Amino acid sequence: VLAAGASCEFSITRFVSGVFGGPDHVNVFTATVTDDDGNTDTDTDDETVTFTDITYSLILTKTVEQTSYSQVGEFLTYKLVAQNTGNAALTNVTISDPLLGTLTCQPQQPATLQPGEKLTCEGSYTVKQGDIDAGQVVNTATADSEQTEPVNDGKIVPAVPSPALSIVKSGDAGPVTIGAMVHYTITVKNTGNVTLYNVTVTDAKLN
């Protein structure tokens, strides 16, 4: 019952499930009243609600602090950032990198990321002789979540090779008589930072 000039407000909640898109959803409300004499009156109003498609999207960005390396034992320091670029939450977000092993992450992984949020991880790698010989360190990180396919990002850090060789020759101290044997010692040393192959020593007088 509404007195003259009075109003009544209704609040209706509808649960939306699934993925929506396309045309706007128009909801029409109709109110009908009847007075004491049985006369009726009807009025309508509508409200438009636009549904947005749920988009799950994850990107991974990998950076490395060093631009090159030249010595065994050097550290290569990496930062890996996974970001939710969609419009819905992503759960169990993880970052992995087989070369770096255990990563230090903020927040801890696995993480739940709301739209726009990031999972940031850091890790380092120690250069080995094989990395200098190979001429570069190549590695790829992977980010994943329950809602998306895995995404990858890789980095290549080049080595600075410096091949070098030294030779030192020494013989018996004189004086030496005719017909005597003179013994020589020849020492070849790799003074560079890369492994040397097919190293040979020649001496025209020593056969």
Side-chain angles (χ1 to χ4, degrees), residues 21-167:
D24 295 337
H25 176 72
V26 180
N27 200 353
V28 179
F29 297 87
T30 301
T32 302
V33 295
T34 304
D35 62 14
D36 293 339
D37 297 327
N39 300 311
T40 62
D41 188 23
T42 300
D43 193 16
T44 61
D45 194 12
D46 61 74
E47 182 68 23
T48 301
V49 178
T50 301
F51 292 116
T52 302
D53 284 334
I54 295 176
T55 303
Y56 296 113
S57 179
L58 182 67
I59 63 172
L60 175 64
T61 304
K62 181 177 184 177
T63 58
V64 57
E65 183 176 332
Q66 293 74 22
T67 58
S68 64
Y69 61 92
S70 60
Q71 298 296 326
V72 173
E74 286 187 53
F75 288 101
L76 303 180
T77 305
Y78 295 85
K79 177 180 285 188
L80 306 94
V81 180
Q83 183 177 12
N84 180 351
T85 54
N87 61 8
L90 299 178
T91 56
N92 286 331
V93 179
T94 59
I95 298 175
S96 61
D97 190 315
L99 190 71
L100 305 184
T102 302
L103 302 172
T104 301
C105 300
Q106 182 62 39
Q108 292 185 352
Q109 59 174 336
T112 296
L113 299 182
Q114 298 299 326
E117 291 185 337
K118 300 177 181 179
L119 170 64
T120 301
C121 298
E122 295 182 346
S124 62
Y125 175 72
T126 304
V127 173
K128 302 174 177 60
Q129 183 61 55
D131 301 317
I132 300 177
D133 295 341
Q136 59 185 13
V137 170
V138 182
N139 72 315
T140 300
T142 301
D144 199 4
S145 75
E146 286 189 340
Q147 292 76 23
T148 62
E149 294 295 322
V151 292
N152 302 316
D153 192 18
K155 285 296 174 186
I156 299 176
V157 182
V160 181
S162 300
L165 193 66
S166 69
I167 184 168

